[in-house]
Amino acid sequence: MKLGVFVNQYTKQNDTLDRLKADKVGIILVQNGVYNATIKEKGVKSSVLDKGTEVYALSEDLQSRGLDPSGIDSKVKVVDYGGLVDLVFNDYEKFIWL
Amino acid sequence: MKLGVFVNQYTKQNDTLDRLKADKVGIILVQNGVYNATIKEKGVKSSVLDKGTEVYALSEDLQSRGLDPSGIDSKVKVVDYGGLVDLVFNDYEKFIWL
Amino acid sequence: MASKKFLFMVDKLPYKAESSRLALTHAIASQTVDIHLDEDDEMEEPVIAFVGDGVLNCMKGQKALECYGVTSLEMHIKNALLTDIKVLICKEDVERLGLSEDNLIMDAEDIGADMQSEIVPFDDILQQMEKSNHILYF
Amino acid sequence: MASKKFLFMVDKLPYKAESSRLALTHAIASQTVDIHLDEDDEMEEPVIAFVGDGVLNCMKGQKALECYGVTSLEMHIKNALLTDIKVLICKEDVERLGLSEDNLIMDAEDIGADMQSEIVPFDDILQQMEKSNHILYF
Amino acid sequence: MGKLSIGCFSSLIGSMTLDFAVKLAEAARKKGHDVDIWLSGNGTMLSKKGQRKFQDYSSLEKPVTDLIKGGLTMVACEACAEARGQHKEDLLEGCDRKSMDWYLASCFKADRVIHIGGE
Amino acid sequence: MGKLSIGCFSSLIGSMTLDFAVKLAEAARKKGHDVDIWLSGNGTMLSKKGQRKFQDYSSLEKPVTDLIKGGLTMVACEACAEARGQHKEDLLEGCDRKSMDWYLASCFKADRVIHIGGE
């Protein structure tokens, strides 16, 4: 199962996310989920970044919030809406919006 | 300051609540906040119950959710909407809705 | 002929977001989906899984109708069982929240349903995620 | 003559709930509240305090107008400073989130505001809670 | 008897927050208190007339209309309503529309304020 | 080219979730995909015509109308709309209203489904 997981909140913990063991889980950070790409609480990066084989963040949502692309974790690939559409059709089969 | 704090969510942690040091903080559990009155996660009662000098829970919201009044922590006083109005006018001066 | 399977997942609490209610009404709407499908298409009986704090939707004795004039999630869950929808409740969360079968809506015999709810490990729900064509995560 | 003081507090993130935006527009509306008050009543200049994850509203360089066609929280905060509203940002949360003055909207000189934001310990915000007649917690 | 101002920023139906505000207002009116309700953000949905009653959805048009007839003041934020496509002709009978300063003045004159934020 | 069904259950304006859905739909249409949008719960607010544009509020009536003209299908849940006082005459041009089974059928026929829950 290629599962795309939209994380739309700056969330500290989510039971479902913690328990997922899909073959290929991709994390797609959108809306306030993009804070997970940059903010290091007490110096520690978000645990959301460790869940997926791939992690993406939506550029429009980063920019809206004043998040500096240079501060983004190197693991995170930045995509725009066009790139997101390609991810949706080419890289994942099913999606959940947490 | 007599501060009434409405807790409307089944919340694990809230920065503001943790930091309050008012002379008299009363916790008023409403909506999904009422789960804090009964649910013991992993056997431990909600930390919200330790924050206020007084803790109240709205009876209509307990009943709507199927929460058994006999399972309510002994610290919690159950009030209905009429009782809530008296609390608002007689016991507290200011309110925040978390 | 195409046959497809849908999983409805609920991790939201009841009576705060409308999500859990709409998850159930949408799942029950699968009863009438045929009118929109081609003749040789078929939708399998849907599965609805309560996970995380969402298992609190399944508590017995909800008096939302009496208190707020709105149907309870309990009534919706019983309607789902009546229409033969598989209702799964995540075991790990039931245990974490200190609940048991005694607190939860395990059947709807009172309205004549044969189907029963099942408390299952998250791994079983993960299997349902894998088997389903689409996941509607409320 | 009555004089009253209001505190606006924001702990919600921007662009998800409308809360932080409405906190600012309501605070700024204090400019025109006189028309509804008795002649000898006076509302003191309001204070707006960002606490918890709400301090993320104060980040510099928000491009919401360019990306979504909607004014940014940055523009609202600058307007608040321009109308001499006291803007407090909770120090403990700024530090927890790894932020500093460099990341935050500390002034609105570009639009001619004299007022500056202040990063203050939560205790100072608590004092404001005590001094205020009403707290509008967004 | 006192005066209570309730600010509601939460959406209709799903959240049950407007149900809470309406029931609190009913109880306060029964005890003889004055009550103002301010609807802003998604809360303005409550000021839309013609809400159809279904048992699966909480339904507030009737209790709110009764409260207004009984002397409660309800005012919706004009800009928030317009942005949602709710115009003057959509307004619930007895409900008014004003700008945000009205709410601040209502709080100014109130003994107690319960400000209920958005989702 | 594929077909994408987007279900939106989130409210207008504040959450920016409908903005996300509309921008995703625009991008998908540009790449030649078919897109259905289902509005349910508070999401039905997007199907209300006459949304006034202010810069302080996200404003979607224009881009949505353009998308519909360009071939996107948008349907709102009839009961959810009625419960909010939105009637047939309030409906955005080109948008339809149906019962929930329509959405399931749309998902059935879709290659990809993005179901965006409520607040």
Side-chain angles (χ1 to χ4, degrees), chain B residues 6-42:
Chain B
F6 285 94
V7 174
N8 83 96
Q9 297 185 59
Y10 181 42
T11 178
K12 273 95 207 192
Q13 202 259 332
N14 179 287
D15 291 323
T16 299
L17 192 55
D18 290 346
R19 291 170 183 158
L20 283 175
K21 288 176 296 186
D23 303 332
K24 192 185 170 192
V25 173
I27 306 287
I28 307 167
L29 303 173
V30 296
Q31 301 190 327
N32 285 333
V34 300
Y35 288 114
N36 291 293
T38 57
I39 298 286
K40 291 190 178 66
E41 274 202 54
K42 296 176 183 165

Coordinates of all heavy atoms in Angstrom, one line a residue, chain B residues 6-42:
Chain B
F6 N -13.0 27.7 31.1 CA -13.8 26.7 30.4 C -12.8 25.8 29.6 O -12.1 26.3 28.8 CB -14.7 27.4 29.4 CG -15.9 28.0 30.0 CD1 -15.9 29.4 30.4 CD2 -17.1 27.3 30.3 CE1 -17.0 30.0 30.9 CE2 -18.2 27.9 30.9 CZ -18.1 29.2 31.2
V7 N -12.9 24.6 29.9 CA -12.1 23.6 29.2 C -13.1 22.8 28.3 O -13.9 22.1 28.8 CB -11.3 22.6 30.1 CG1 -10.6 21.5 29.3 CG2 -10.3 23.4 30.9
N8 N -13.0 23.1 27.0 CA -14.1 22.5 26.1 C -13.5 21.3 25.3 O -14.2 20.8 24.5 CB -14.7 23.6 25.2 CG -13.8 23.9 24.0 OD1 -14.1 23.3 22.9 ND2 -12.8 24.7 24.1
Q9 N -12.3 21.0 25.5 CA -11.7 19.9 24.8 C -11.2 18.8 25.7 O -10.8 19.0 26.8 CB -10.6 20.4 23.9 CG -11.1 21.3 22.8 CD -10.0 21.8 21.9 OE1 -9.4 20.9 21.2 NE2 -9.7 23.0 21.8
Y10 N -11.1 17.6 25.2 CA -10.4 16.5 25.9 C -9.0 16.7 25.6 O -8.4 16.1 24.7 CB -10.9 15.2 25.5 CG -10.3 14.0 26.2 CD1 -10.1 14.1 27.6 CD2 -9.9 12.9 25.5 CE1 -9.5 13.1 28.3 CE2 -9.3 11.8 26.2 CZ -9.1 12.0 27.6 OH -8.5 10.9 28.3
T11 N -8.3 17.5 26.4 CA -7.0 18.0 26.1 C -6.0 17.4 27.0 O -6.2 17.2 28.2 CB -7.0 19.5 26.2 OG1 -5.7 20.0 25.9 CG2 -7.3 20.0 27.7
K12 N -4.9 17.0 26.4 CA -3.8 16.4 27.2 C -3.0 17.5 27.8 O -2.4 17.4 28.9 CB -3.0 15.5 26.3 CG -3.5 14.1 26.3 CD -4.4 13.8 25.1 CE -5.4 12.8 25.4 NZ -6.1 12.2 24.2
Q13 N -2.8 18.6 27.1 CA -1.9 19.6 27.6 C -2.3 21.0 27.0 O -2.6 21.1 25.9 CB -0.5 19.2 27.1 CG 0.6 19.8 27.9 CD 1.2 21.0 27.2 OE1 1.2 21.1 26.0 NE2 1.7 22.0 27.9
N14 N -2.2 22.0 27.9 CA -2.4 23.4 27.4 C -1.5 24.3 28.1 O -1.5 24.4 29.3 CB -3.9 23.8 27.6 CG -4.2 25.2 27.1 OD1 -3.8 26.1 27.7 ND2 -4.9 25.3 26.0
D15 N -0.7 25.0 27.3 CA 0.4 25.9 27.9 C -0.2 26.9 28.9 O 0.3 27.1 29.9 CB 1.1 26.7 26.8 CG 1.9 25.7 25.9 OD1 2.5 24.8 26.4 OD2 2.0 26.0 24.7
T16 N -1.3 27.5 28.4 CA -1.9 28.6 29.3 C -2.4 28.0 30.6 O -2.1 28.5 31.7 CB -3.0 29.3 28.6 OG1 -2.5 29.9 27.4 CG2 -3.7 30.3 29.4
L17 N -3.1 26.9 30.5 CA -3.6 26.2 31.7 C -2.5 25.9 32.7 O -2.5 26.1 33.9 CB -4.4 25.0 31.3 CG -5.3 24.3 32.4 CD1 -6.2 25.3 33.0 CD2 -6.0 23.2 31.8
D18 N -1.4 25.3 32.1 CA -0.2 24.9 32.9 C 0.4 26.1 33.7 O 0.9 26.0 34.8 CB 0.9 24.3 32.1 CG 0.5 23.0 31.5 OD1 -0.5 22.4 32.0 OD2 1.1 22.5 30.6
R19 N 0.3 27.3 33.1 CA 1.0 28.4 33.6 C 0.2 29.3 34.5 O 0.7 30.3 35.1 CB 1.6 29.3 32.5 CG 2.7 28.6 31.7 CD 3.0 29.4 30.5 NE 4.0 28.8 29.6 CZ 4.1 29.0 28.3 NH1 3.3 29.9 27.7 NH2 5.0 28.4 27.7
L20 N -1.1 29.1 34.6 CA -2.0 30.0 35.4 C -1.7 29.9 36.9 O -1.5 28.8 37.4 CB -3.4 29.6 35.2 CG -4.0 30.1 33.8 CD1 -5.5 29.6 33.7 CD2 -4.0 31.6 33.8
K21 N -1.6 31.0 37.5 CA -1.3 31.0 38.9 C -2.3 32.1 39.6 O -1.9 32.8 40.4 CB 0.1 31.4 39.2 CG 1.1 30.4 38.9 CD 2.5 30.9 39.1 CE 2.9 32.0 38.2 NZ 4.3 32.5 38.3
A22 N -3.5 32.1 39.1 CA -4.5 33.0 39.7 C -4.8 32.6 41.1 O -4.6 31.5 41.5 CB -5.7 33.1 38.8
D23 N -5.3 33.6 41.9 CA -5.7 33.3 43.3 C -6.7 32.2 43.3 O -6.7 31.4 44.2 CB -6.2 34.6 43.9 CG -5.3 35.7 43.9 OD1 -4.0 35.4 43.9 OD2 -5.7 36.9 43.8
K24 N -7.7 32.4 42.4 CA -8.7 31.4 42.4 C -9.1 31.0 41.0 O -9.8 31.7 40.3 CB -10.0 31.9 43.1 CG -11.0 30.8 43.4 CD -12.3 31.4 44.0 CE -13.3 30.3 44.0 NZ -14.6 30.8 44.3
V25 N -8.5 29.9 40.6 CA -8.8 29.4 39.2 C -9.9 28.3 39.4 O -9.7 27.3 40.1 CB -7.6 28.8 38.5 CG1 -8.0 28.2 37.2 CG2 -6.6 29.9 38.3
G26 N -11.0 28.4 38.7 CA -12.0 27.4 38.7 C -12.0 26.8 37.3 O -12.0 27.5 36.3
I27 N -12.0 25.5 37.2 CA -12.1 24.8 35.9 C -13.5 24.4 35.7 O -14.2 23.7 36.5 CB -11.2 23.5 35.9 CG1 -9.8 23.8 36.4 CG2 -11.3 22.8 34.6 CD1 -9.0 24.6 35.4
I28 N -14.0 24.8 34.5 CA -15.4 24.4 34.2 C -15.3 23.5 32.9 O -15.0 24.0 31.8 CB -16.2 25.7 33.9 CG1 -16.1 26.6 35.1 CG2 -17.7 25.3 33.6 CD1 -16.7 28.0 34.8
L29 N -15.6 22.2 33.1 CA -15.5 21.3 32.0 C -16.8 21.3 31.2 O -17.9 21.0 31.8 CB -15.3 19.9 32.6 CG -14.0 19.7 33.4 CD1 -13.9 18.3 34.0 CD2 -12.7 20.0 32.6
V30 N -16.8 21.6 29.9 CA -17.9 21.6 29.1 C -17.6 20.9 27.8 O -16.4 20.6 27.5 CB -18.4 23.0 28.7 CG1 -18.9 23.8 30.0 CG2 -17.3 23.8 28.0
Q31 N -18.6 20.5 27.0 CA -18.4 19.9 25.7 C -17.5 18.7 25.9 O -17.6 17.9 26.9 CB -17.9 20.8 24.7 CG -18.9 22.0 24.5 CD -18.5 22.9 23.3 OE1 -17.4 23.1 23.0 NE2 -19.5 23.4 22.7
N32 N -16.5 18.5 25.0 CA -15.6 17.3 25.2 C -14.7 17.4 26.3 O -14.0 16.5 26.7 CB -14.9 17.0 23.9 CG -15.8 16.4 22.8 OD1 -16.8 15.7 23.2 ND2 -15.5 16.6 21.6
G33 N -14.6 18.6 27.0 CA -13.8 18.8 28.2 C -14.3 17.9 29.3 O -13.5 17.5 30.2
V34 N -15.6 17.4 29.2 CA -16.1 16.6 30.3 C -15.5 15.2 30.4 O -15.5 14.6 31.4 CB -17.7 16.4 30.3 CG1 -18.3 17.8 30.4 CG2 -18.1 15.7 29.0
Y35 N -14.8 14.8 29.3 CA -14.1 13.5 29.4 C -13.0 13.5 30.5 O -12.7 12.5 31.1 CB -13.5 13.1 28.0 CG -14.5 12.7 27.0 CD1 -14.7 13.5 25.8 CD2 -15.2 11.5 27.1 CE1 -15.6 13.1 24.9 CE2 -16.2 11.2 26.1 CZ -16.3 12.0 25.0 OH -17.2 11.6 24.0
N36 N -12.5 14.7 30.7 CA -11.5 14.9 31.7 C -12.0 14.5 33.1 O -11.2 14.2 34.0 CB -11.0 16.3 31.8 CG -10.1 16.7 30.6 OD1 -9.1 16.1 30.4 ND2 -10.7 17.6 29.7
A37 N -13.3 14.5 33.3 CA -13.9 14.2 34.6 C -14.0 12.7 34.9 O -14.1 12.3 36.0 CB -15.3 14.8 34.7
T38 N -13.9 11.9 33.8 CA -14.2 10.5 34.0 C -13.1 9.6 33.4 O -12.8 8.5 34.0 CB -15.5 10.0 33.3 OG1 -15.4 10.4 31.9 CG2 -16.7 10.7 33.9
I39 N -12.5 10.0 32.3 CA -11.6 9.0 31.7 C -10.2 9.0 32.4 O -9.6 10.1 32.7 CB -11.3 9.4 30.2 CG1 -12.7 9.4 29.4 CG2 -10.3 8.5 29.5 CD1 -13.2 8.0 29.1
K40 N -9.7 7.8 32.7 CA -8.4 7.7 33.2 C -7.5 7.0 32.2 O -7.6 5.8 32.0 CB -8.4 6.8 34.5 CG -9.1 7.5 35.7 CD -8.9 6.7 37.0 CE -9.6 7.3 38.2 NZ -11.0 7.3 38.1
E41 N -6.7 7.8 31.5 CA -5.8 7.2 30.5 C -4.7 6.4 31.2 O -4.0 6.9 32.0 CB -5.2 8.3 29.6 CG -6.1 8.7 28.5 CD -5.4 9.3 27.3 OE1 -4.4 8.7 26.8 OE2 -5.8 10.4 26.9
K42 N -4.6 5.2 30.8 CA -3.6 4.3 31.4 C -3.7 4.3 32.9 O -2.7 4.2 33.6 CB -2.2 4.6 30.9 CG -2.0 4.4 29.4 CD -0.7 4.9 29.0 CE -0.5 4.8 27.4 NZ 0.6 5.5 26.9

